[in-house]
Structure formats: structure tokens, C-alpha cells
Amino acid sequence: MATRTVTSTDQPQRPSTADAGPFPARRVLVAACGSADVLTLPQSIMVMRHALRLDVRVVLTPAAARFVPARSFTLLTGHPALVDEETTTQVPHLDLTAWADLVLVLPATANTLAKAAHGIADNLVGTCLLAATAPVVLVPSMNRAMWERPAVQRNVAQLREDGYGVVPPVPVLALSTGTLDGRGMPPIEAVLEFAAGHLRHLDGRRG
């Protein structure tokens, strides 16, 4: 599991939540992608469920399910965790996105960022993002070289222009090199603070 090291200058720039009350969403759809950071997702879901009393459901890319089996998230959330559209006779991407107050892509790989930026929906996570009417917040996780690529930065800029929230990644230990070349998820508390600020910002614009 990745070891996190964050300096004061690396803290993500988050919308202010100084006037924060209760978390401004009750039903959170977590879309998990195939980064090593998905190994920390069970702990993050425990925080969401037990500290904030959120109702959480999980969808996974096939790559994410190879890190952590979908059944683990079913047990953690009390809801079936889905990997693809064939697991039910219903239309899960429509049912799930109609249910959700917030879609949280945690973690988000470079591949999923690119697909979301270009409207590609070739798996359940992609179809959920394309069908979502609730706000979407993406939490990137990849190595530094990938994060700094112009193509990735163009995709991030496009996502922000389209109204998605994108949490700036922080330095983490890259499992492949043993160095702080990873760019991964900040602690879940910081992710949720960013998400709350994004939701309140959107509510303020609508108001």
C-alpha cells in the first residue's frame, strides 16, 4: 500500500469550507479505477459510511476489480458492487446515477480521465460518468511523468471546463520505483473537503 508524504506546498487547492455544515450529499456513488491507490479505498469507504453516515455504492473498472474484488465492496457498503453492465437485468448506469447525489471517481487513472474528457463510455464506470446528472469529482492517481504529460493536463483542463471537480494529486510512494514519483490521492478527509466545496460552489452558481 502506498505511503503518503505531503508537504505544505503540495496541499491541494480546495474550495473553502469554512462555513461547512453537514456534508452536502447523502448518496455517493464511488467509481473505482485500476490504480494501486484503490487498495486504500475500503478504509475511505469506512470513513464515508461511519464518520459522515453517507450511503455509498461502488462501481469498478475491470482493472480495479483485479486489485480489490467487487465482493469486498459489497460487504463494506451493503449494496452490490458492480463491474459491468451484465451483472443485472436492470440498467445500472441509469439507476445508479439517478440515485446518486455525488459521483466520486476514487481513484481516477489517466485512462479514465481521458475517457471522461472525450465522452467515451466503454465500461460501467464510463457509462456512469456520461449518464451522471449529479456533480462528479475525480481524484487522479498515476506516476508523476504521466500526470505532467501535456495530454493529461489538456484532459484535466477540459474536465474542469466541463464542470467536473478534479482534486490535485499529491506526492506518494510509487510502488514501481520506491520513490516519491507517484501522484496519488490525498487523505480521504481532504478529498471529501474538496468535494463538499465543489458541491457548495455549484449550488451557489445555481442559486
Side-chain angles (χ1 to χ4, degrees):
M1 191 175 298
T3 301
R4 306 186 174 282
T5 302
V6 184
T7 66
S8 59
T9 58
D10 293 318
Q11 291 288 355
Q13 297 300 307
R14 300 184 296 271
S16 174
T17 56
D19 57 346
F23 191 77
R26 301 313 304 164
R27 298 182 299 274
V28 178
L29 177 61
V30 172
C33 303
S35 158
D37 262 341
V38 78
L39 296 171
T40 69
L41 187 54
Q43 294 173 325
S44 298
I45 288 174
M46 294 289 284
V47 170
M48 286 187 270
R49 290 202 65 211
H50 298 291
L52 295 181
R53 306 295 182 186
L54 303 180
D55 192 5
V56 179
R57 300 188 182 195
V58 177
V59 295
L60 304 96
T61 64
R66 288 195 288 271
F67 280 98
V68 183
R71 177 167 171 75
S72 298
F73 296 111
T74 298
L75 295 173
L76 278 171
T77 65
H79 297 293
L82 304 180
V83 180
D84 58 49
E85 297 276 10
E86 298 177 1
T87 55
T88 175
T89 58
Q90 305 300 313
V91 187
H93 69 275
L94 297 180
D95 294 340
L96 289 166
T97 53
W99 169 85
D101 299 323
L102 169 68
V103 179
L104 188 60
V105 189
L106 183 74
T109 58
N111 187 44
T112 294
L113 292 176
K115 289 179 179 181
H118 294 279
I120 297 172
D122 60 355
N123 57 30
L124 180 56
V125 167
T127 54
C128 283
L129 294 181
L130 202 57
T133 55
V136 176
V137 171
L138 301 105
V139 189
S141 177
M142 62 199 73
N143 66 51
R144 182 175 63 181
M146 292 176 69
W147 173 250
E148 292 176 352
R149 287 288 184 189
V152 172
Q153 291 304 306
R154 284 196 300 270
N155 290 334
V156 169
Q158 182 63 58
L159 289 165
R160 287 175 171 151
E161 183 177 335
D162 290 344
Y164 292 91
V166 182
V167 179
V170 297
V172 298
L173 184 67
L175 299 182
S176 58
T177 64
T179 64
L180 288 175
D181 275 341
R183 290 298 178 266
M185 304 187 303
I188 186 58
E189 294 82 3
V191 170
L192 294 172
E193 182 182 350
F194 181 101
H198 183 67
L199 288 167
R200 294 189 179 102
H201 173 69
L202 293 178
D203 284 343
R205 290 179 61 183
R206 285 191 291 265

